[in-house]
């Protein structure tokens, strides 16, 4: 028979009979206990809402940052775009950087750039649509470098085609790279993080993973999967009591990296096309301060809150007002599905 887990050292107790709601506990026996617990939960709820709002609004550099010096950071999709930029930032902070990309030439170029900051650079050519290849290369990394402390699941592809115009194999590859690869990289590297109670999994998803956009059916589905993966993984890690292992979900709007070349925004003040430097600044801030979620631009927090409580028709009305479903009408992208976030 299962027994209650030992209380975490961070748990707060009102009394021996009133343990904090987090974790296992018995049900309150009296109306007084129920009222006290409800009040306690409400106080925590207000505190966490205020804390989250403050974190979302604070400029970068205010919150204390953790050190990543000598940490092993693995970044997928490191051969270009955000992946390359994040690799440079981590190298500048003294991390050992493992580079994963299917584009061998681009990945080696990134490795060459990082040599200016560190000698600990390890490039690998990996097809992230293949679970077997992920497992095989992960074993090589663990043999060559050791365990990974920070895993950044950044690789992604976009077809930019409407559902009936998109070849089946491209839809399957979109799901494999944008969603499924998260499962297999985490299975490869998370166990060592849990064992050491030290680590971080970062999932570069998208605002398209929180709502639907015309012309991005396969991409939205894949990014919804990435968001769900990150949220469920965070819950699993929390139940294990590993407070030294963190999960961060990043959901940006369109980024000016070439991946979404041709997209337009019809609300540039509220939903601008994001500049890569700004996005990387915010991602690094989120990782170094152990933020759980990051939406960009900041108006995204309001969008997410509104879409979660509004009726579907009201949500579609706002999407139409902001021109969201016209953003892909002039999409060009690159010549082929691209690795980036």
């Amino acid at each position: 028979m299962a027994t209650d887990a030992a209380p975490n050292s961070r748990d707060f107790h009102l009394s021996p009979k009133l343990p904090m709601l987090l974790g296992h506990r018995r049900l309150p026996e009296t109306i007084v206990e129920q009222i006290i617990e409800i009040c306690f939960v409400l106080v925590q709820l207000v505190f966490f809402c205020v804390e989250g709002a403050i974190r979302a609004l604070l400029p970068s550099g205010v919150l204390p940052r953790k050190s990543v010096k000598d940490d092993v950071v693995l970044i997928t999709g490191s051969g270009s775009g955000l992946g390359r930029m994040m690799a440079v930032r981590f190298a500048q902070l003294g991390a050992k950087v493992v580079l994963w990309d299917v584009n061998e030439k681009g990945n080696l170029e990134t490795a060459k750039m990082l040599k200016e900051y560190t000698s600990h650079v390890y490039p690998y050519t990996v097809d992230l649509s293949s679970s077997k290849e992920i497992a095989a290369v992960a074993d090589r990394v663990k043999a060559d470098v050791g365990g990974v402390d920070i895993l950044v699941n950044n690789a992604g592809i976009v077809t930019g085609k409407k559902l009936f115009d998109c070849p089946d194999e491209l839809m399957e590859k979109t799901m494999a790279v944008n969603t499924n690869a998260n499962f297999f990289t985490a299975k490869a590297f998370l166990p060592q993080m849990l064992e050491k109670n030290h680590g971080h999994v970062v999932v570069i998803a998208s605002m398209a993973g929180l709502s639907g956009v015309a012309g991005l059916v396969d991409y939205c589905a894949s990014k919804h999967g990435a968001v769900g993966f990150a949220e469920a993984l965070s819950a699993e890690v929390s139940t294990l009591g590993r407070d030294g292992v963190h999960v961060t979900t990043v959901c940006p709007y369109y980024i000016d990296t070439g991946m979404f070349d041709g997209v337009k925004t019809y609300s540039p003040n509220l939903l601008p096309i994001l500049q890569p430097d700004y996005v990387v600044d915010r991602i690094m801030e989120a990782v170094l301060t152990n933020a759980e979620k990051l939406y960009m631009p900041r108006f995204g927090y309001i969008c997410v809150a509104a879409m979660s409580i509004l009726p579907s028709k009201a949500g579609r009305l706002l999407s139409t007002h902001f021109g969201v479903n016209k953003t892909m009408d002039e999409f060009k992208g690159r010549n082929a599905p691209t690795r980036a976030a």
Side-chain angles (χ1 to χ4, degrees):
M1 182 179 293
T3 58
D4 285 354
N8 189 286
S9 60
R10 297 175 300 155
D11 288 353
F12 177 79
H13 297 271
L14 287 177
S15 74
K17 292 185 177 182
L18 293 174
M20 184 176 177
L21 288 181
L22 296 176
H24 297 290
R25 77 194 199 291
R26 67 171 178 78
L27 294 175
E29 295 178 351
T30 67
I31 294 178
V32 173
E33 286 185 347
Q34 292 179 32
I35 293 174
I36 293 175
E37 286 212 23
I38 290 172
C39 291
F40 183 50
V41 169
L42 289 175
V43 169
Q44 290 184 90
L45 183 64
V46 172
F47 172 79
F48 290 140
C49 287
V50 172
E51 180 192 40
I54 292 174
R55 289 183 68 109
L57 293 173
L58 280 176
S60 297
V62 175
L63 295 173
R65 295 182 169 195
K66 67 184 180 184
S67 172
V68 295
K69 183 175 175 57
D70 295 326
D71 276 357
V72 176
V73 180
L74 189 153
I75 302 173
T76 68
S78 53
S80 62
L82 295 185
R84 173 176 288 176
M85 296 173 70
M86 285 188 286
V88 170
R89 297 290 186 91
F90 278 112
Q92 290 172 335
L93 293 173
K96 302 172 184 178
V97 186
V98 179
L99 306 172
W100 275 24
D101 204 298
V102 72
N103 178 0
E104 182 176 10
K105 180 181 178 182
N107 213 30
L108 291 176
E109 289 174 355
T110 301
K112 185 177 180 180
M113 294 172 63
L114 266 58
K115 291 292 186 181
E116 180 180 348
Y117 308 104
T118 178
S119 60
H120 299 288
V121 184
Y122 309 90
Y124 297 84
T125 303
V126 189
D127 179 1
L128 286 154
S129 67
S130 168
S131 60
K132 291 183 179 179
E133 191 162 333
I134 290 172
V137 180
D139 287 340
R140 287 173 54 197
V141 170
K142 285 182 275 192
D144 296 344
V145 188
V148 168
D149 299 295
I150 301 177
L151 170 63
V152 183
N153 286 306
N154 165 73
I157 61 174
V158 59
T159 64
K161 298 179 182 295
K162 294 191 185 313
L163 178 63
F164 298 114
D165 298 326
C166 188
D168 293 352
E169 60 271 19
L170 286 186
M171 288 189 289
E172 290 173 351
K173 190 167 186 177
T174 297
M175 296 301 297
V177 175
N178 295 2
T179 307
N180 299 349
N182 289 281
F183 303 143
F184 305 118
T185 56
K187 289 186 75 172
F189 298 112
L190 184 59
Q192 288 174 297
M193 297 184 196
L194 294 172
E195 184 178 346
K196 296 188 299 182
N197 194 25
H198 172 76
H200 204 137
V201 178
V202 184
V203 177
I204 310 297
S206 171
M207 290 297 290
L210 301 168
S211 63
V213 180
L216 285 174
V217 171
D218 59 336
Y219 185 79
C220 285
S222 70
K223 290 300 185 178
H224 271 74
V227 170
F229 161 82
E231 292 187 351
L233 182 68
S234 180
E236 286 198 7
V237 170
S238 177
T239 62
L240 295 173
R242 296 298 191 267
D243 57 357
V245 179
H246 305 278
V247 180
T248 296
T249 311
V250 179
C251 294
Y253 194 57
Y254 296 119
I255 308 171
D256 186 17
T257 60
M259 184 178 183
F260 281 98
D261 187 31
V263 299
K264 290 186 176 181
T265 179
Y266 294 87
S267 302
N269 293 324
L270 296 176
L271 294 170
I273 304 296
L274 302 170
Q275 293 305 304
D277 282 335
Y278 167 78
V279 173
V280 173
D281 283 344
R282 295 290 310 282
I283 292 174
M284 295 301 295
E285 176 77 4
V287 174
L288 297 176
T289 61
N290 297 326
E292 293 187 31
K293 294 183 181 180
L294 171 62
Y295 303 146
M296 292 176 278
R298 285 188 168 90
F299 183 65
Y301 290 95
I302 297 176
C303 292
V304 172
M307 298 298 274
S308 65
I309 61 175
L310 290 175
S312 298
K313 290 182 179 179
R316 284 195 291 271
L317 175 65
L318 290 179
S319 292
T320 300
H321 173 74
F322 290 119
V324 172
N325 287 318
K326 297 191 297 180
T327 56
M328 291 292 293
D329 288 353
E330 298 180 38
F331 170 79
K332 298 181 182 68
R334 294 171 182 164
N335 292 331
T338 311
R339 293 148 303 280

